[in-house]
Amino acid sequence: KITKAVVSEFELEVESSKTTGLNEVFQNFKKDNKVVGLEWDSWSGYIVSAKITSAEALVRDIAGYIRDTFNS
């Protein structure tokens, strides 16, 4: 649910195939030259990570969107 909303809101494109394990799911997405990971695992919860330095501001924007949209 969160990943679909983030991809739509930020107009992200799939950069890698989805990896699903017993306790984790992760996939990379891109916007322009910025690559971010949208990930979930049973230990840490939902994670947004910058895969390259230029994506750090985008990660902060995505984190704010998730906080404002899903933490009511």
Side-chain angles (χ1 to χ4, degrees), residues 10-69:
F10 291 90
E11 300 176 338
L12 302 177
E13 299 175 14
V14 172
E15 205 274 329
S16 70
S17 59
K18 184 190 300 186
T19 301
T20 304
L22 293 175
N23 296 308
E24 67 272 344
V25 178
F26 54 92
Q27 188 170 16
N28 291 342
F29 295 86
K30 64 183 178 177
K31 181 167 185 168
D32 303 322
N33 65 337
K34 302 168 183 95
V35 180
V36 298
L38 301 180
E39 310 165 2
W40 175 87
D41 70 50
S42 60
W43 184 261
S44 301
Y46 201 83
I47 303 162
V48 180
S49 61
K51 298 300 181 177
I52 57 176
T53 305
S54 64
E56 290 178 2
L58 178 57
V59 165
R60 286 190 292 275
D61 291 343
I62 292 171
Y65 170 77
I66 291 170
R67 181 193 62 237
D68 295 343
T69 304

